[in-house]
Amino acid sequence: MIITVDSTTGTDGAVAERGPNRPTTLLLGCGVLYALSYTVANDLVAASRYRGYRRTSQAVSELSATGAPTRTFLMVMLPVWTALMVAFGVGVVRSAAGARPLRITGGLLIAFGVSGVAWLAFPMTSRHEMVRGVTAANDVGHLVLSGMTVALIVGQLAFGARAFGSRFRRYSAATGLTVLVFGALTAGESSKIAAGEPTPWLGLFERLDIGAWLVWLAVFAIACMRRRVV
């Protein structure tokens, strides 16, 4: 049992257990919606509408790169994802009930959501243009945002892991290791784009990287919903 604060007591003097209130539960549900909507929008809708796009060998960012036919659709989705992530972070903070790791994790989720708006200004340059030798300021910003994103995700995993029991800590550690390993493999494949070299596993590596975090996000949201306070 996780002991926090509640003013509800039973007739025998014992303090009754309760979970997050309804508004907080709805906010926490935004974490699950974020994970689902991100996957559906990118890998089901956008990837299917981009003729010739290959999920195993092309980066997720190529779906919203300059000149991509699916860029407009994903730019419309970006504010939706920002709203869902910020709402989720607020829900985590509201559910913390004095638990510092949850408050910090909620703050990191909010920061992640707010920073997402910056992707509008820094899209990836299309693979075709990069091979031609075109280098743009937006690519520098894209790399900076990518690094910031990794740092925020690692922070979420680290502090979120401390909010629950040992099994969740082990699961979070495994997720963190997956994110770092496949993130490094993704970076290695990405470095080949400008040189015009093939990147047969870029999309797969990146999707395993992002997917591990998205699953963790949904599991974390559900854990927060099921968390009992007394």
Side-chain angles (χ1 to χ4, degrees):
M1 181 189 303
I2 298 174
I3 300 177
T4 52
V5 179
D6 186 9
S7 60
T8 305
T9 58
T11 55
D12 60 353
V15 180
E17 286 189 349
R18 63 173 175 81
N21 58 35
R22 187 173 183 80
T24 301
T25 299
L26 291 174
L27 290 171
L28 291 171
C30 289
V32 178
L33 286 176
Y34 177 95
L36 289 174
S37 65
Y38 186 92
T39 302
V40 170
N42 280 285
D43 281 334
L44 294 183
V45 179
S48 298
R49 293 173 59 187
Y50 193 152
R51 182 175 298 177
Y53 180 85
R54 296 184 178 180
R55 294 175 179 84
T56 56
S57 61
Q58 289 185 258
V60 175
S61 293
E62 292 184 65
L63 292 168
S64 57
T66 56
T70 49
R71 174 169 168 73
T72 300
F73 166 68
L74 291 176
M75 290 304 97
V76 170
M77 288 299 301
L78 190 56
V80 176
W81 292 327
T82 294
L84 286 173
M85 184 60 77
V86 170
F88 178 41
V90 171
V92 172
V93 172
R94 283 170 59 102
S95 71
R100 186 168 176 267
L102 280 180
R103 290 201 308 270
I104 295 175
T105 306
L108 290 170
L109 291 167
I110 292 171
F112 184 98
V114 173
S115 67
V117 179
W119 291 102
L120 288 167
F122 300 107
M124 173 184 173
T125 296
S126 68
R127 182 181 290 243
H128 175 69
E129 292 295 318
M130 290 179 70
V131 171
R132 287 177 53 198
V134 175
T135 54
N138 56 280
D139 287 312
V140 177
H142 193 86
L143 289 173
V144 171
L145 284 173
S146 296
M148 184 186 305
T149 296
V150 171
L152 287 171
I153 288 175
V154 171
Q156 293 162 23
L157 294 169
F159 285 99
R162 297 172 58 191
F164 299 103
S166 59
R167 284 196 303 174
F168 189 78
R169 285 197 294 271
R170 290 194 296 270
Y171 167 60
S172 298
T175 300
L177 181 61
T178 301
V179 167
L180 293 174
V181 169
F182 283 103
L185 291 172
T186 298
E189 285 285 284
S190 298
S191 64
K192 302 175 184 178
I193 295 178
E197 298 177 14
T199 56
W201 305 112
L202 171 57
L204 178 61
F205 290 158
E206 186 176 26
R207 282 168 171 80
L208 289 172
D209 179 17
I210 297 173
W213 169 66
L214 289 176
V215 172
W216 180 89
L217 206 67
V219 172
F220 178 68
I222 294 170
C224 289
M225 292 180 202
R226 297 176 62 186
R227 181 173 181 263
R228 296 299 178 189
V229 297
V230 299

